């Protein structure tokens, strides 16, 4: 299977979980004391997952992921089956003390509109 990527970074090993959640928020406004439906938000998208890096260079792969996380600009997250999403890399969590040859991590990406704004 092809690997997931974000911007110019290609995961050496796909994460073992990948969850893509989408939701919308209904908006209401009050007119003459009556609450009325005023529309629906753009799609709010949150992508989460977990993975491990194993073997020689595992810790360096984590450092590469941390450098990618440090870039505040949005980019395209591409999954070989689920497609792509323009998003921000919003969370990176180490789920154990890293070892030289084994690192476990979790991540979150938050979908963005083409102008870079995150829907609410």
């Amino acid at each position: 299977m092809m690997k997931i990527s974000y911007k110019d970074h290609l995961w050496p090993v796909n994460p073992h979980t990948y969850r893509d959640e989408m939701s919308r928020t209904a908006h209401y406004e009050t007119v003459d004391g009556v609450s009325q439906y005023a529309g629906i938000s753009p799609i709010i998208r949150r992508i989460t997952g977990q993975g491990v890096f194993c073997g020689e260079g595992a810790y360096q792969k984590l450092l590469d992921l941390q450098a990618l996380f440090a870039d505040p600009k949005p980019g395209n997250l591409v999954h070989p089956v689920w497609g792509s999403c323009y998003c921000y890399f919003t969370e990176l969590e180490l789920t154990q003390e890293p070892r030289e040859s084994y690192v476990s991590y979790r991540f979150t990406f938050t979908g963005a509109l083409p102008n870079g704004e995150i829907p609410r």
Side-chain angles (χ1 to χ4, degrees):
M1 176 183 268
M2 294 173 36
K3 307 292 185 218
I4 70 167
S5 64
Y6 180 65
K7 298 181 182 179
D8 63 350
H9 179 82
L10 185 67
W11 262 248
V13 176
N14 281 342
H16 56 267
T17 65
Y18 187 93
R19 182 175 178 167
D20 193 342
E21 301 171 309
M22 290 176 258
S23 64
R24 291 184 173 213
T25 303
H27 296 284
Y28 297 87
E29 59 185 31
T30 303
V31 178
D32 297 326
V34 178
S35 182
Q36 298 176 356
Y37 175 74
I40 196 158
S41 73
I43 294 172
I44 299 166
R45 196 166 179 184
R46 187 169 178 258
I47 298 166
T48 58
Q50 293 180 249
V52 296
F53 298 131
C54 299
E56 187 175 333
Y59 187 70
Q60 182 58 50
K61 292 171 187 165
L62 170 68
L63 296 178
D64 294 344
L65 204 56
Q66 286 178 326
L68 185 65
F69 178 77
D71 182 354
K73 296 176 187 154
N76 286 313
L77 175 66
V78 180
H79 187 282
V81 174
W82 305 116
S84 66
C85 177
Y86 187 64
C87 56
Y88 290 94
F89 194 170
T90 52
E91 293 180 35
L92 178 62
E93 177 185 357
L94 302 179
T95 56
Q96 65 155 65
E97 183 177 335
R99 298 182 206 149
E100 188 174 318
S101 62
Y102 185 87
V103 177
S104 177
Y105 66 92
R106 287 187 194 140
F107 61 83
T108 301
F109 289 88
T110 302
L113 298 174
N115 66 0
E117 184 179 325
I118 294 176
R120 296 183 186 257

